Amino acid sequence: MTRESESHRESEPRRESRSRRGFLAGIAAAGAAATAGCSGVPFAGGEERREAPASLPSDAVGPVEWPASPFPVTVPESLASTHESRTRELLDAVPAEASIPNEAVAAAIGDDRERASRRANAEIPDGWPVDDLSAWRHRREDAAAVRGAHRAATGTDDGVDLAARRRAVRDDRGALASGLEYRAESPAAAVLAYEPVESLLAECARHVEPRVTYPDDPIAEPFRAGEVVGHVERARAAASDAEGLRDAYLDGRDGATSQWASLVAAAGQLRGSVSRTRAAVRRRTNDGTPSGDEDLSGTVAQELLAVSGRRAESAVTDAERAADAGEHATAVIEAGTGLADIEARRRAVAEIGDGRFREVPSESSVRSAAERAHTAVRDAVERGGPLARRLVRPGVETLAYVADRIEEGYASPRRTQAELAYVDLYAGAVPATTAFVRERLA
């Protein structure tokens, strides 16, 4: 792994939950920029209203409760245990004080080993069991990268062996993907059972590709060598999890039949619904511009327009990507998410046009927004069953992200209130969206 890429990975939020923090951090970074539908917001003289200072206590959002996992069966504990054992095995193979002639490289590998060890012992954030597996795959990759860099720096060339391992992982992934018939009792069950399997197969494909090549002289580039080793290890872990989740679901289901044709049809219908709904909402909302000519700069309303616009466009892109990739279960979920995002966008523009979200944020208003968001999430979960629990996930992720930002001292009251308002709007759209998606799967 190069020192530049290592630094990036150290600061990069965990991708999966998809990970969940990376995408949300990107939304937050949009700030007050005129993105995805906000370009029509009027500004007065180029000046923004100053945000009144406000201190948000760590409990402003309240505890974030994850709903029960929508995966139809219990995720085997053996999957996480295997990752943990392998992670510790890899780290144990690297001496705490490596004997390497290059002192700078030795020190860097020692630092990497210590960081990877701390990550392996850290508490995993709340989420679903599939998120725990994701955390362990990251840790396993980090440990493999450290071991690969140490072996390279001490004169071991793993290039030939690594190429063979990569071919084996690629073959195993191909066999899993080609045999994915979405066997289940119903199309709805197939979506919930196989969406995480598809996600893992996609993760495996990303990491097994030789985007970074093993160096010809590993001693000269030990961290690049370690990075490649880490990628292949991560690909192997993802393929193993995909097989493990598939087998766990099918265990004892002798009557499960292929739902492939039903999922293909539903994914196609829902993709069309997303496209048509986005076009209709754009027309009705004048491409996301509220009526009137009031200056919204510096308001919660402006932030809410930015968040809702970015979310809606990103969700549509994700739905199209999954459909194009032939990930039919994922395409159904992404389409459902997209429809809820588009409806949340429509409601945001309408309510801003009616004069809402103009207040100066305060601790009290943030707490009220958080209460509404929590209530909306609970209502969506209670009314919709496992499919609703899966579709409401982005709202729960946002609550967790906002709570973390407040605790870390990086939360803007205005942005926080806007994101909480968006959770309220998004979760409020989930019940109707769930019913619509379920009808297409029937």
Side-chain angles (χ1 to χ4, degrees):
M1 180 183 298
T2 64
R3 309 312 296 158
E4 292 81 6
S5 63
E6 179 203 16
S7 174
H8 173 72
R9 281 170 54 83
E10 184 70 16
S11 61
E12 180 181 314
R14 195 158 64 89
R15 186 178 183 272
E16 265 123 321
S17 352
R18 179 165 136 204
S19 199
R20 87 185 152 206
R21 308 290 166 83
F23 172 66
L24 296 170
I27 293 171
T35 60
C38 294
S39 58
V41 178
F43 295 87
E47 297 182 359
E48 285 199 14
R49 302 170 183 168
R50 286 196 169 278
E51 180 174 353
S55 176
L56 297 178
S58 59
D59 66 346
V61 171
V64 179
E65 298 181 2
W66 278 77
S69 170
F71 190 64
V73 298
T74 300
V75 174
E77 293 182 3
S78 60
L79 296 179
S81 296
T82 297
H83 294 320
E84 182 175 6
S85 297
R86 176 61 173 165
T87 298
R88 301 197 186 283
E89 174 191 345
L90 290 165
L91 290 175
D92 288 344
V94 180
E97 295 183 5
S99 178
I100 298 173
N102 187 320
E103 294 182 0
V105 170
I109 290 176
D111 290 344
D112 288 351
R113 183 186 184 279
E114 176 61 26
R115 275 193 293 270
S117 181
R118 285 201 306 269
R119 292 189 192 110
N121 293 320
E123 182 179 352
I124 295 178
D126 290 340
W128 290 329
V130 292
D131 298 323
D132 294 349
L133 295 180
S134 176
W136 276 115
R137 289 194 302 277
H138 280 268
R139 296 171 179 195
R140 184 169 162 177
E141 177 187 7
D142 288 341
V146 174
R147 182 170 183 264
H150 175 261
R151 286 174 61 82
T154 52
T156 301
D157 187 337
D158 285 322
V160 174
D161 178 63
L162 195 65
R165 275 187 278 162
R166 176 181 278 122
R167 286 193 298 272
V169 172
R170 189 177 62 231
D171 290 345
D172 288 347
R173 183 207 171 274
L176 278 167
S178 63
L180 201 65
E181 299 178 352
Y182 304 99
R183 289 171 55 209
E185 298 91 340
S186 68
V191 167
L192 296 174
Y194 290 97
E195 185 230 349
V197 174
E198 287 180 337
S199 176
L200 287 161
L201 291 174
E203 180 180 331
C204 179
R206 289 194 303 272
H207 287 276
V208 81
E209 291 180 357
R211 296 179 181 179
V212 179
T213 58
Y214 194 84
D216 294 331
D217 184 357
I219 293 180
E221 298 182 86
F223 298 105
R224 177 177 159 193
E227 182 177 9
V228 179
V229 171
H231 281 312
V232 175
E233 186 75 23
R234 172 80 171 271
R236 162 55 63 199
S240 297
D241 280 349
E243 183 177 18
L245 291 184
R246 182 203 62 184
D247 291 349
Y249 175 70
L250 289 176
D251 185 31
R253 283 183 166 78
D254 297 334
T257 58
S258 173
Q259 304 295 330
W260 182 81
S262 296
L263 260 62
V264 170
Q269 292 175 19
L270 287 166
R271 179 179 185 170
S273 296
V274 169
S275 179
R276 291 189 297 272
T277 303
R278 176 176 63 169
V281 168
R282 279 178 166 176
R283 289 193 301 271
R284 289 201 299 266
T285 63
N286 191 24
D287 202 20
T289 304
S291 57
D293 57 359
E294 180 184 356
D295 174 20
L296 298 179
S297 59
T299 66
V300 172
Q302 183 193 28
E303 292 283 358
L304 181 54
L305 285 174
V307 170
S308 63
R310 188 178 179 96
R311 290 287 186 94
E313 292 307 305
S314 179
V316 171
T317 299
D318 288 343
E320 292 175 345
R321 184 213 59 78
D324 290 340
E327 298 169 1
H328 307 300
T330 302
V332 170
I333 294 298
E334 295 290 7
T337 300
L339 289 169
D341 273 311
I342 293 167
E343 172 60 13
R345 169 68 166 171
R346 184 195 67 77
R347 287 184 57 194
V349 174
E351 293 189 17
I352 289 169
D354 290 339
R356 289 199 60 198
F357 307 111
R358 308 301 208 277
E359 70 272 22
V360 175
S362 64
E363 178 184 336
S364 176
S365 66
V366 168
R367 286 187 183 277
S368 295
E371 290 176 4
R372 289 191 294 272
H374 282 293
T375 298
V377 169
R378 284 195 299 270
D379 288 348
V381 169
E382 291 171 0
R383 294 169 58 186
L387 181 58
R389 294 201 301 271
R390 176 57 188 88
L391 293 182
V392 86
R393 176 178 178 133
V396 182
E397 289 177 336
T398 301
L399 285 172
Y401 169 77
V402 169
D404 284 352
R405 293 287 291 180
I406 292 174
E407 186 174 350
E408 293 163 1
Y410 295 115
S412 154
R414 181 160 52 96
R415 187 173 303 165
T416 297
Q417 188 165 329
E419 289 173 337
L420 292 170
Y422 188 79
V423 173
D424 181 17
L425 296 171
Y426 175 84
V430 165
T433 300
T434 301
F436 183 84
V437 172
R438 192 180 289 120
E439 288 175 0
R440 301 304 173 281
L441 291 169

